[in-house]
Amino acid sequence: MRLVVTGASGNVGTALLRRLATSEHDLVAVARRPPPPVAPYDRARWLSADLSEPRSEAVLAEAVRGADAVVHLAWGFQPSHDVGYLERLGVGGTRRVAQAVLEAGVPHLVHMSSVGAYSAKRDDARVVESWPTQGLATSAYSRHKAAAERVLDMVETEAAAPVVTRLRPGLIGQALAGSELLRYGLPPAVPAAVLRHLPLLPLDRRLTVPVVHADDVAEAIVRALERRAEGAFNLAAEPPVTADMGAQALGARIVPVPAKALSLLAQASWYAHLQPVDRGWVDLAYGVPLLDCSRAREVLGWQPTRDAEQVLHDTLGGMVEALSGRSPVLRPRRVVSELARWLRRGRISERRLP
């Protein structure tokens, strides 16, 4: 099978290439910054393209020509102060990938959607894939994921539409994403070791979020490809992560703070450029529904191999140790190098990533 993977150097892309390392598939990978030719990246032929730009259309046309399936993972999380760029990359990039798939007659498109595409929860009941995908208004990430779903809706109306698979995972973690998450979530001067010494954690105890390991998401992608499975699939491990689980994993004590106050504090400190995370991520954490994954079990034969507590400890452990991978996205985060980059190119929340 000839497979094309966009965003193949990121969190999920790296896990997918690991999963396909011993396969006989012909792999073409697309990323803005191709990684060095080391495992698992040496398994694929790499093309460079920034999907936010119209000139990427020629690269995509070359990449998908003759493909049996396209797995679209490319997305952006920073710079959070440049929402226009994030929209051009996430929504515009999805539109360009979809158009390339249609023009080349590729029979299968797998799109990495998200629990963030769903409308806000009403309670902690688990929702199935028919739950509305209108996103949360205060979260740019959520709005863009919902808008990407509308692009897929339009694709499915085309006469020669491919089979479209929409994967909607909870928050995706793995140890090697530790440096990436620190880079996106902490000011550059704050060392990873600070996470070891948090005595107090300001949280609303109502926090309950679905999570899943990147390797389990990769397995779901492979199963969807093998079965050419159509439609949407929720992906999450059990049980959902709670505020108490997070505090226990960090060895901290919760200081109860209402979610609304946390949201306002995040927005104020983001506007002041004190940290790179806007209020949308706080609102998303408290607003996303829990996921019923029955369809993934029944149609894909998928079961997570790690429970949510393992995912949490794996991910937080990776952050505490500032673990990293070999791709530009997963590169090591070191305070000195991050400060030097900040002095040269500005804050990560304001600049396009290198």
Side-chain angles (χ1 to χ4, degrees):
M1 185 184 296
R2 186 171 187 274
L3 301 179
V4 178
V5 184
T6 71
S9 63
N11 183 17
V12 177
T14 297
L16 179 59
L17 292 183
R18 281 199 305 262
R19 172 62 178 80
L20 296 173
T22 59
S23 73
E24 296 182 356
H25 300 307
D26 176 18
L27 299 178
V28 177
V30 180
R32 185 160 56 88
R33 298 163 292 167
V38 296
Y41 308 110
D42 56 355
R43 179 68 182 75
R45 177 170 69 91
W46 288 85
L47 298 174
S48 176
D50 182 342
L51 300 189
S52 71
E53 299 179 353
R55 61 185 176 182
S56 67
E57 293 166 9
V59 179
L60 287 171
E62 176 190 347
V64 307
R65 191 178 298 117
D68 296 294
V70 172
V71 180
H72 178 44
L73 306 176
W75 204 263
F77 300 92
Q78 290 290 354
S80 58
H81 281 277
D82 191 350
V83 178
Y85 170 74
L86 295 179
E87 184 173 15
R88 292 193 301 275
L89 176 59
V91 184
T94 299
R95 191 175 292 114
R96 290 189 174 96
V97 170
Q99 189 60 39
V101 165
L102 287 169
E103 290 178 356
V106 179
H108 190 189
L109 172 61
V110 177
H111 171 72
M112 185 55 59
S113 187
S114 168
V115 65
Y118 282 126
S119 301
K121 65 182 179 182
R122 298 174 189 148
D123 51 37
D124 281 341
R126 285 160 173 75
V127 305
V128 297
E129 289 79 0
S130 58
W131 191 258
T133 53
Q134 299 302 320
L136 276 71
T138 58
S139 166
Y141 172 83
S142 182
R143 295 195 307 272
H144 298 164
K145 282 294 185 182
E149 293 260 358
R150 304 291 78 79
V151 172
L152 301 182
D153 292 345
M154 290 187 287
V155 168
E156 290 179 328
T157 66
E158 297 290 333
V163 169
V164 176
T165 305
R166 313 177 193 215
L167 299 178
R168 296 178 185 150
L171 304 184
I172 304 171
Q174 66 170 319
L176 291 185
S179 279
E180 178 192 21
L181 293 171
L182 290 168
R183 190 177 297 110
Y184 291 170
L186 289 181
V190 178
V194 75
L195 296 178
R196 287 198 187 98
H197 308 291
L198 285 177
L200 304 174
L201 197 61
L203 283 177
D204 189 319
R205 288 187 180 274
R206 294 175 299 169
L207 179 71
T208 311
V209 294
V211 301
V212 63
H213 197 278
D215 286 339
D216 288 325
V217 176
E219 181 63 28
I221 294 171
V222 171
R223 289 171 180 257
L225 289 168
E226 292 173 344
R227 292 162 173 76
R228 196 163 286 182
E230 189 170 13
F233 296 92
N234 291 337
L235 304 174
E238 291 292 342
V241 166
T242 64
D244 287 331
M245 289 169 64
Q248 184 178 12
L250 290 170
R253 182 168 63 87
I254 290 179
V255 177
V257 178
K260 186 173 181 179
L262 290 172
S263 176
L264 293 173
L265 178 62
Q267 193 69 350
S269 56
W270 177 75
Y271 270 129
H273 303 283
L274 298 177
Q275 54 82 27
V277 179
D278 64 62
R279 67 175 293 186
W281 289 101
V282 176
D283 295 344
L284 199 63
Y286 286 95
V288 294
L290 301 184
L291 301 177
D292 182 328
C293 301
S294 300
R295 188 165 192 267
R297 289 195 301 271
E298 294 164 3
V299 177
L300 302 180
W302 178 85
Q303 286 278 8
T305 60
R306 295 170 177 84
D307 64 29
E309 192 165 356
Q310 290 175 299
V311 178
L312 177 66
H313 281 275
D314 198 23
T315 305
L316 289 179
M319 294 176 70
V320 167
E321 299 297 333
L323 298 183
S324 60
R326 301 293 298 276
S327 77
V329 178
L330 301 181
R331 69 184 185 276
R333 177 198 185 263
R334 300 182 180 93
V335 168
V336 172
S337 59
E338 291 302 314
L339 285 173
R341 190 174 283 108
W342 171 61
L343 289 172
R344 289 196 313 270
R345 306 183 65 247
R347 298 175 179 88
I348 193 171
S349 60
E350 298 172 17
R351 58 175 162 85
R352 190 176 303 187
L353 299 180

